[in-house]
Amino acid sequence: KYYPPDFDPAKIPKLKLPKDRQYVVRLMAPFNMRCKTCGEYIYKGKKFNARKETVQNEVYLGLPIFRFYIKCTRCLAEITFKTDPENTDYTMEHGATRNFQAEKLLEEEEKRLQKEREEEELNNPMKVLENRTKDSKLEMEVLENLQELKELNQRQANVDFEAMLKQYKELEEEQRRREQE
């Protein structure tokens, strides 16, 4: 490109874009959902052309929160969800219902049990000792099972490398003889 000698980039006017500008992006559905208007199931990983906007007055630890607008594949009803960086997930806003997630419930249950155990240990020093002995017994059992599996694999997988090399050399010699003949 040609730039004249008197060109000054500071004289070019800046574009004034609105803060809530929407962009069109291609994304996959982040979770299984069901449309509220027609009942269509939208599975995780389904690709959509979505509009993305930054949510005003909502920030988590300096991270902006984005809202996505997609359309149902059957009835074209609008479905919206937004990012949830606090839980490293997405939250459903409207247009659909999020389907059951067993993994999330399991994680929440594990966290709850861990909290209960920590609270119990703070109040009762004997409980701390009991939990340590349980953990050490469990660890010993796991190590014993692992050792048994290793021994079982060693018994079943007896490979004689010397015999394999000898057999390979014999096959090579036989092929040389055939080629010479």
Side-chain angles (χ1 to χ4, degrees), residues 93-104:
E93 284 194 318
H94 77 275
T97 55
R98 192 168 178 165
N99 285 3
F100 178 73
Q101 280 189 312
E103 294 172 8
K104 192 172 183 178

Side-chain angles (χ1 to χ4, degrees), residues 3 16 25-26 31 34 38 44 51 58 66 78 82 84 117 129-130 144 152 156-157 165 176:
Y3 292 103
K16 302 281 190 218
V25 293
R26 183 90 169 154
F31 45 79
R34 187 174 183 188
C38 67
K44 181 178 181 177
R51 289 175 307 158
E58 277 192 56
F66 298 107
E78 193 168 63
K82 62 182 180 179
D84 184 12
R117 182 176 173 177
L129 189 62
E130 288 176 12
E144 287 174 8
L152 187 72
Q156 290 179 350
L165 288 171
R176 286 183 193 158

Side-chain angles (χ1 to χ4, degrees), residues 21-34:
R21 182 172 176 215
Q22 292 186 346
Y23 299 93
V24 176
V25 293
R26 183 90 169 154
L27 66 85
M28 290 181 162
F31 45 79
N32 296 331
M33 57 186 121
R34 187 174 183 188

